[in-house]
Amino acid sequence: MTTFTEQKNAVTHIDGALHENANLRIGIAVGRFNGFLVESLVEGALDALLRHGVLGENITVVRVPGAFELPLTTKRMAVTGNYDAIVVLGAIIRGATPHFDIVASESAKGLSHVALHHDIPVINGILTTENIEQTIERAGTKAGNKGYEAAMTAIEMVSVLKAL
């Protein structure tokens, strides 16, 4: 009779590693709109990548006008085959019109499509917030730096996909 502990030990587990990253090639696509906040996300992402061994020469930052332009840019980056993962950073802050909902939804859909179609981790680090205060919190204060978190997710996802 097999015990639960024996069955549990027989299960295959695949977890992403956060080391041995010198050869990783990471693209960072950045929407400049709300740039005074987004640049904190970029700094956080670069900090995470460099601290975890990704070489600066293997990181490319591409800036575009805003979040709506990020899916196309990310697609172009993906088709080059030059990147193991793409981190996408931006900030969409709700205003008085439905523009927020359209841009947030279409950006997320487009990025998801790129990841699935091109079989590459595309990490959506676009902040979608109700106000500037929430954005500030997520760009390096109370809620941490979501750019840093997005870069860490990219490293882990590359490792998981390689293991699969």
Side-chain angles (χ1 to χ4, degrees):
M1 179 166 166
T2 305
T3 66
F4 174 74
T5 303
E6 290 170 331
Q7 288 180 22
K8 183 178 172 187
N9 290 337
V11 173
T12 300
H13 293 271
I14 298 174
D15 294 309
L18 297 175
H19 57 281
E20 299 177 14
N21 299 313
N23 294 322
L24 283 187
R25 300 163 305 147
I26 304 293
I28 303 176
V30 181
R32 285 192 314 265
F33 199 79
N34 294 312
F36 65 101
L37 300 164
V38 174
E39 285 306 312
S40 292
L41 299 175
V42 175
E43 289 173 22
L46 291 172
D47 182 38
L49 295 170
L50 295 170
R51 281 180 190 260
H52 286 85
V54 179
L55 300 176
E57 64 201 39
N58 292 343
I59 302 169
T60 301
V61 179
V62 178
R63 287 182 172 77
V64 299
F68 201 76
E69 292 76 28
L70 287 168
L72 175 60
T73 305
T74 303
K75 177 184 173 195
R76 282 288 175 97
M77 293 171 77
V79 299
T80 68
N82 292 336
Y83 306 101
D84 297 306
I86 303 170
V87 176
V88 184
L89 303 173
I92 307 168
I93 303 170
R94 187 178 297 281
T97 69
H99 185 72
F100 169 90
D101 297 308
I102 294 165
V103 173
S105 175
E106 293 303 314
S107 294
K109 257 194 277 187
L111 295 176
S112 177
H113 178 77
V114 171
L116 294 172
H117 186 73
H118 296 283
D119 198 32
I120 183 173
V122 174
I123 311 307
N124 186 347
I126 301 173
L127 301 180
T128 53
T129 58
E130 295 293 323
N131 52 53
I132 290 176
E133 292 77 20
Q134 288 179 351
T135 309
I136 291 169
E137 288 174 5
R138 287 156 181 77
T141 60
K142 285 192 248 179
N145 186 304
K146 299 303 180 186
Y148 188 98
E149 292 175 21
M152 295 301 294
T153 300
I155 291 171
E156 186 172 351
M157 284 303 299
V158 169
S159 176
V160 166
L161 293 178
K162 283 182 180 178
L164 290 173

